[in-house]
Amino acid sequence: MAARAGGGDPKFNTTLRYAIEDAKAYILENIESDLFLDNVANKVMLKPNYFGKLFKEYTGQSLVTFINASKLEHSKTLLLVTERSIAQISERLSISSSAYYIKKFK
């Protein structure tokens, strides 16, 4: 995952930094759920468009990119520690199709 691009920026006061870090923790804790900008922004009580912009400025990557990368990392673990098929893992991680999952995994 990208380093904090805007982490040292004065506009990222403590409250905004906590909101973004809380959102990242929420995503990782709920990685097997459907995750969207609206529900993650709602979790940290920010408007979706504003939160999406802040997340990208702070982390250097979009929320969708962070979610997808996190899902791929989690899927690697599942492939190693379970006997589930790629189709089962992609379904468990709410990835639209195994073909899409395989393409992203490569």
Side-chain angles (χ1 to χ4, degrees), residues 2-3 7 9 11 13 20 23 36-38 40 45 50-51 54 56 58 60 64 74 79 92 95 98 101 104-105:
D9 190 325
K11 80 174 164 185
N13 62 40
I20 293 167
F36 301 101
L37 176 61
D38 286 351
V40 176
M45 296 181 281
Y50 178 64
F51 173 71
L54 284 177
K56 183 163 186 164
Y58 185 78
V64 170
H74 186 64
L79 284 169
R92 181 173 175 172
I95 297 171
S98 341
Y101 170 76
K104 288 294 181 184
F105 196 75

Side-chain angles (χ1 to χ4, degrees):
M1 319 253 161
R4 292 181 187 177
D9 190 325
K11 80 174 164 185
F12 288 101
N13 62 40
T14 302
T15 303
L16 292 178
R17 283 194 302 270
Y18 281 131
I20 293 167
E21 293 301 327
D22 284 350
K24 288 168 63 177
Y26 172 78
I27 290 164
L28 296 176
E29 290 166 7
N30 295 280
I31 199 67
E32 294 184 12
S33 302
D34 282 331
L35 295 165
F36 301 101
L37 176 61
D38 286 351
N39 62 349
V40 176
N42 185 49
K43 179 69 179 162
V44 295
M45 296 181 281
L46 292 171
K47 294 188 181 214
N49 290 339
Y50 178 64
F51 173 71
K53 181 180 175 187
L54 284 177
F55 190 92
K56 183 163 186 164
E57 287 178 19
Y58 185 78
T59 65
Q61 60 186 337
S62 71
L63 182 71
V64 170
T65 300
F66 178 80
I67 290 170
N68 288 338
S70 299
K71 285 184 182 257
L72 287 178
E73 283 302 311
H74 186 64
S75 71
K76 289 178 189 177
T77 301
L78 293 175
L79 284 169
L80 291 172
V81 301
T82 69
E83 294 185 15
R84 290 187 170 93
S85 68
I86 290 174
Q88 290 170 321
I89 291 172
S90 64
E91 182 179 336
R92 181 173 175 172
L93 294 177
S94 301
I95 297 171
S96 57
S97 73
S98 341
Y100 174 79
Y101 170 76
I102 291 167
K103 179 180 177 185
K104 288 294 181 184
F105 196 75
K106 287 183 178 180

